[in-house]
Amino acid sequence: MQQRLFKILLSIGLLLITSLGLGFGYLIHLHTQEFLDAEVASLHQGIQERVTFLDEITQREDTYLDQRLQVLLPNIYRLLTADQTPLAQVSLDRLFLIKNMYAEYGQLDIYILDPHSNIIQTTNPKELGVHLASYGTFRERIFDRLQTQTLYIDRFSTSAVEGSLRKFAFYRPKTSSDYTLEISIDFYSYLEKRYSKEYTELFKPSAFNTFVQTNPFAYYIDLYLVKAHSAFSLIHQNHQMSQENIRKVQALGYLEKQEGNFLKVYQLLKEANPDEILGHTLILETEFNLQNLNRLRNALILGSVLLSLALLVMMLFILRARLHKDFIEPLTQLKSNLEQLSQGHYLLSLPEFKYEFKDIAAAFVQMSHAVQARELALLEARQVLEQRVQERTLALQEAKSYAESLARTDMLTQLPNRRYLEEHFEYLIRDQNTYPLTLVIFDLDFFKKVNDTYGHHLGDQVLIHVGNLGSSLIQAPAMLGRLGGEEFVILLPNMHKQAAWILMDELRIHVSQTPVYVSGQPPIYVTLSAGVVTVTQKEKTQASFKHLLRCADEALYQAKASGRNCVRLYTPN
Ligand SMILES: Nc1nc2c(ncn2[C@@H]2O[C@H](COP(=O)(O)OP(=O)(O)OP(=O)(O)O)[C@@H](O)[C@H]2O)c(=O)[nH]1
């Protein structure tokens, strides 16, 4: 039982620990996820603030530069073509000369574009020969506008070739001119010149790396300026973002991609209508290395499971000990008491129990006493029952023997009846020592007359009287019985016929001389006639009760025929 209980407890405990471990694990997982989300959000928030600030500065400077460039571009054109040199043939030296004149703008570059948007001369040699019309909507945006106006100042934008943030301005002396003058101002170097270096540091791509350094999980960040379907990296220049990601981030605003321990997050920082000339979409890309975080989370989960396991083992041991003391021990004690009770030991000495076992023990003792009392009562009842059974058996035996005696007794005279006489004859005839065996039958003479004269009742008294007289003359094993009516039979073992004749004659005389006295009546005298038959041992094989009765009856008939009141011996013819 203890083992089973322990197994049940162990199963419950294991279930508990599994759920506890899983619960803890889930909580830790949620917590780390929340923590990570908060870190991601704080990083993005910081970048967003910086970008918003940059955006404000950009817009302000854009307006300011627009005003200045409207004056600057015609001036540069005039300076370049002062000696009547056609724009298409301005020398590189001249370009650099002019460029250096405007050092206050920081990194300023001058370009001369041919009618097909090719850069044919520039202070930025990297871009020489670049066909600008192949970049996005350059021709539609700029060249088409210059068909109707001579000056077009573009927004701040990334350089298609370098990816740096620049302000672009275009000028044609006449709308019909073939060649175009373009200048670009590097935004960061412009800011450095206009403000201070510390100030511009905030917006430089390298400054964004501080976000990576200060965030525990950040691994890599980039900002993309999206033009139509191309994205230009502002931090890691020349870096590209896939078309698929651009579309997804534009549609969802936020996108997360997990690859092993690395998490990439894309967030739309600024969305603009691509149809608007100044519209730029800004997408932030951040990448986080979660290796340490995952390791920490796994260690925490494992730790919590191990701790719960240790707690469970401890709890189980304590519980088992308590269980044994508070539950198993009293139960074992009660079990042994029950065994004692089943063996009939009622005087139980129960030890001190605790808790509910105290009540159980009390009830148990009560039950024991009740059982004891009931058993005693049962014992007594059994004794009474046994006594009654004995009494009833005795009564039954008596009733039986009474019934048997009734079955063998003539009710009127209380003498053996014909059945008893026959049984006794069978007994005597089987015995070797009863021969010669004599059977006498006697009959009252003219008994009808007695009945007729004195009534049947007095006739009965006469029959009883004669029976009594006969009984007084014989002793067992001889037997006198009433055959029926006024006929009687006497069985006389060990008696010769002469002796029997003498005995019967004695009875005849005795009857004839002993009247029946009934009050108010004269004495009633009766006589009897008798027939005697004797069987020797030799003759016993032919002898039966019926046969001897018939023989004796013949002798009786002789006696009747001889005038009655006499005894005749049977003589076979
Ligand atoms: N009171 C009384 N009478 C009985 C009983 N059994 C038989 N009797 C009568 O006994 C009488 C017998 O009559 P019988 O057979 O004519 O013989 P009997 O008158 O004795 O004449 P014999 O035998 O020829 O001397 C009848 O009247 C019977 O009714 C009995 O139990 N009680």
Side-chain angles (χ1 to χ4, degrees), residues 412 443-449 451-452 455-461 463 482 484-486 529 560 564:
L412 181 69
D443 179 304
L444 298 184
D445 299 330
F446 304 116
F447 189 62
K448 187 176 180 308
K449 217 187 253 179
N451 274 336
D452 294 345
H456 216 261
H457 177 65
L458 280 183
D460 285 351
Q461 295 302 314
L463 289 173
R482 184 180 171 211
E486 86 288 18
S529 301
K560 291 276 182 188
R564 297 178 172 81

Side-chain angles (χ1 to χ4, degrees), residues 25 101 146-147 168 277 293 310 347 354 381 412 483 491:
M101 282 172 66
L146 290 175
Q147 301 293 321
F168 296 96
I277 293 300
L293 185 71
L347 295 173
K354 280 184 187 172
L412 181 69
L483 202 60
L491 295 172

